[in-house]
Amino acid sequence: MADSRKRRKKPDRWRQSTTSQRDETAWTPCLGQALYYVTGVAVMCWLAAKYSAYLETLHENNLWFSNIEEVKREISFRTEQGFYYAYYKQLVHAAHFTAGVCDLTRDNATEHRTINALQRFNIYQEVALAAVYRLFGLQVAPILFYVRSVFALQGLALSCVFATSWLLSGTWYAGALSVVFHVINRPDTTRVDFAIPLRESFALPFLFLQMALVTHYLRSGIPRWQQRPTLLLVFLASLLFALQWQFAQFVFLLQAAALFLLAYAQLLPHTKVFSLYSVHTMALLSVTALQFFHTMILGSLILSFLPASVLVLKLQGEEVRALSLARRLLVCTAHAVALAAAMFAFNYSVKVVIGQQDDAHIYKFLLGKFGLGNPRDLDSQLYLCNGAFQFLDFGSVRRLTMKWVFPVYVLSEACFVLHLLATVVYKWRLFGVGNRVVDAKSNRDSDADALLSPQGGARFSIKPEMAYHCMQSLLFAAMATLTLRMKYIWTPHLCVMAAVGLTQPDVWTSVLQRLKVTHRSSVFVIRSACAATFIGVLVAVSLPEARRELAIEKEFHDPDTVDLMHWISKETPEGAAFAGSMQLLAGVKLCTGRHLTNHPHFEDKWLRERTRQVYQIYGRRQPADVHKILTEMGASYIILENSICYVPSDDPCGLGHLVDMDNGYYAPSGGAPMTGPKFCDEIRHGNPPYRRYFKPVFNNRTFRVYRVL
């Protein structure tokens, strides 16, 4: 009996020993995986820090920024850059921060009338940076803190590009590859090194963060307990993006359109799409509240598209019967018409109720891009003649091709699109909307995930997050093609898709299986080694050019503008109001604090009309007419720029020509021009009709200033 008990104990001890050994060996892959993730995160943070330092070095070398005098630093913020930075400067130097913020809500200098700057402009980032600067009592110069903060945000943007590639491919080597693509194509992926205070310099990092979070949320295997926290983070990122850039609504429109198309094609669950739509809506309404209920967002197309798309998805139903191709196309056409009708009807109704017309110039610009607009309209022509709003230029495509990323992107995106279309065709043959499948032959329901799994025999599955990025990239490409300025949204995403295409695990598994390599670890090692080799080749080829670029040192030089700003600060009263070009007046506000009649933030109907009136100084107008216009708006001085005034009259994008066209002096397709002199040219001769109304007070090689009598 005792012997039998002893014999029973031996298996127990053996089982304990084997269990202990199994637990010990289980630590090996866990530790390896942890080390892999820690290494990936460390590489991501290191690359982000190096990228921020790289951009700051380029900026410093180009301008000698930290050593030049303050007025030169400020003048280097051209056009609307200086306009936005002026509010940060105002808050930093305010006697009390809270009083400075209150002054922004009663700003009477920017438009020579009282406005709420926090409502009209996207300047909460300037408020936040000024608050941080004053709270911590930083010893660095305010302008240097501002610049370095923007460059630090670009590190965040690069981290998000890295993380998105990692999520899509399953390897952080893809993240590193996307970063290398991004950096070596820097002239086409960002312009922050020479346009620091632009709104997209603050906003785009949060867009890329939001897209990384959306990628995680759309993954089919995400646990339920992670979904709500992820949605909360998506909301915060969306809020910060929309709060800092007035054009965020159009990016959200493209994002919502991509989600709608995929949900309609049954590639994304309706519940997740509706949740993301709710996040979009809450973020935009929160921005509206923070901007004191600015009507431009309420009248935006995105807030009309969201309910219309939900309506169409509801009309589609939760289960769709098998349809013939002709009937399917007919139903899709009917739903598309319903979507467009509902969206435009809702948008028109909202605009009529709230009286919103501030975004009318955007639609005029879009019509003008295709030759459908009014060729005399000054608002649209100012955009169409601006290089940043031209079609995507061949030079950008050529540079991206020379740095290898564009050919890889085209090939990868083509494969992803074909994969997506194959999935749609397969699903529409068997699937209804949602997670249930209707098999037309057996008339039997089965689980969608089972049919799409390898065990179910389906080969045409595409991951939801990959489908989203594939569709989003196509829409971003269309936007960038239409407007050059928007390429800085598309090109970072282009780098992500190219890197993911080169490291896609399914492709590598399929290729290596043909070479008799089937072990999962072997596939991973080979895939990672090839990615690392490609990264090494890219770095080796691009490093000499980067070193040459870093070796170039310049210094900011614009003595005429410096002289003008010094003269205005010393010789004119603080309450004087200046009229001139939008770009120059932004610098006047920043460097001198004087009142303005107009400025570059064009998203206001009243201001656009005011600018049209001010620009008569460059048209063929009589001095009495110009004097009447300027006195009615309270202008004390006008600043004329020779670079604008002396442009030949037949230049179709010369400001004088555009003003004369708007005034009806030219036929749209040519014709006899008005023979009268241009005001800006004739005033310099000092003839009696001009001396009666204007007195010259400052002159150099670039600028002429006249006091309005």
Side-chain angles (χ1 to χ4, degrees), residues 431-667:
F431 284 65
V433 179
N435 294 324
R436 305 302 299 171
V437 179
V438 180
D439 192 324
K441 294 181 179 180
S442 62
N443 196 26
R444 175 173 53 84
D445 290 349
S446 59
D447 188 79
D449 293 333
L451 274 181
L452 286 178
S453 65
Q455 293 80 3
R459 297 183 179 180
F460 301 110
S461 62
I462 186 170
K463 295 178 181 178
E465 65 271 23
M466 183 57 71
Y468 161 70
H469 279 278
C470 176
M471 183 63 66
Q472 191 70 82
S473 185
L474 291 176
L475 295 178
F476 281 170
M479 179 176 64
T481 302
L482 185 64
T483 305
L484 180 62
R485 180 179 182 178
M486 295 301 180
K487 78 174 182 179
Y488 299 104
I489 298 176
W490 172 55
T491 47
H493 197 254
L494 176 151
C495 296
V496 170
M497 299 302 287
V500 172
L502 284 176
T503 58
Q504 188 65 15
D506 295 338
V507 175
W508 281 95
T509 301
S510 177
V511 171
L512 291 176
Q513 280 179 350
R514 296 178 180 273
L515 301 176
K516 308 302 181 182
V517 179
T518 58
H519 196 276
R520 184 177 178 182
S521 299
S522 301
V523 173
F524 176 79
V525 170
I526 295 173
R527 178 168 66 116
S528 301
C530 290
T533 302
F534 193 67
I535 291 172
V537 171
L538 286 176
V539 171
V541 171
S542 305
L543 197 57
E545 181 181 350
R547 286 175 175 169
R548 287 194 299 269
E549 189 177 32
L550 289 171
I552 298 174
E553 295 183 350
K554 303 177 183 178
E555 182 179 351
F556 178 81
H557 184 73
D558 189 356
D560 290 345
T561 306
V562 172
D563 290 344
L564 174 66
M565 298 306 169
H566 282 317
W567 180 86
I568 293 175
S569 298
K570 295 177 181 178
E571 303 296 334
T572 63
E574 292 185 359
F578 283 78
S581 70
M582 295 183 291
Q583 297 80 3
L584 179 62
L585 291 187
V588 171
K589 175 179 176 60
L590 170 58
C591 298
T592 71
R594 299 301 188 262
H595 291 208
L596 311 179
T597 57
N598 55 307
H599 55 76
H601 197 282
F602 221 43
E603 280 67 48
D604 181 79
K605 183 182 178 182
W606 182 90
L607 181 69
R608 292 196 296 273
E609 177 59 28
R610 167 69 71 92
T611 300
R612 191 180 73 83
Q613 293 295 324
V614 170
Y615 279 0
Q616 300 305 309
I617 61 178
Y618 291 109
R620 301 177 186 276
R621 298 297 296 267
Q622 295 299 315
D625 297 335
V626 175
H627 182 267
K628 180 180 179 181
I629 291 172
L630 295 174
T631 53
E632 286 180 351
M633 64 180 63
S636 310
Y637 297 87
I638 57 173
I639 306 176
L640 296 174
E641 299 172 63
N642 294 334
S643 60
I644 298 177
C645 182
Y646 298 152
V647 172
S649 298
D650 57 352
D651 186 340
C653 280
L655 183 56
H657 179 87
L658 296 179
V659 171
D660 291 340
M661 182 78 77
D662 185 69
N663 291 335
Y665 295 155
Y666 289 90

Side-chain angles (χ1 to χ4, degrees), residues 288-424:
T288 302
L290 288 170
Q291 289 193 289
F292 297 84
F293 298 95
H294 196 306
T295 58
M296 187 171 176
I297 292 179
L298 293 176
S300 63
L301 274 180
I302 175 63
L303 284 183
S304 301
F305 176 84
L306 292 175
S309 59
V310 170
L311 175 63
V312 170
L313 290 175
K314 291 292 185 181
L315 286 175
Q316 190 187 33
E318 291 299 325
E319 291 188 2
V320 178
R321 294 174 298 176
L323 299 175
S324 64
L325 178 61
R327 190 170 181 181
R328 173 91 54 193
L329 292 176
L330 182 62
V331 171
C332 291
T333 302
H335 285 162
V337 172
L339 174 64
M343 178 179 67
F344 287 112
F346 189 76
N347 186 255
Y348 178 78
S349 301
V350 170
K351 286 187 174 181
V352 168
V353 171
I354 64 177
Q356 201 275 109
Q357 296 181 338
D358 291 337
D359 59 354
H361 64 298
I362 297 174
Y363 303 108
K364 292 179 182 179
F365 159 72
L366 292 175
L367 290 174
K369 292 286 285 189
F370 299 102
L372 301 175
N374 179 7
R376 294 184 181 274
D377 183 72
L378 181 62
D379 296 343
S380 60
Q381 292 303 315
L382 288 175
Y383 276 102
L384 293 170
C385 286
N386 189 322
F389 292 91
Q390 299 295 319
F391 288 104
L392 183 67
D393 62 311
F394 176 75
S396 297
V397 177
R398 181 181 57 82
R399 288 189 299 271
L400 292 169
T401 302
M402 295 296 292
K403 296 296 181 63
W404 302 4
V405 66
F406 188 70
V408 175
Y409 166 77
V410 170
L411 181 61
S412 301
E413 184 69 11
C415 293
F416 293 143
V417 169
L418 291 175
H419 194 183
L420 187 149
L421 293 176
T423 306
V424 171

Side-chain angles (χ1 to χ4, degrees), residues 90-102:
Q90 178 180 337
L91 289 173
V92 166
H93 293 97
H96 301 284
F97 179 75
T98 53
V101 174
C102 290

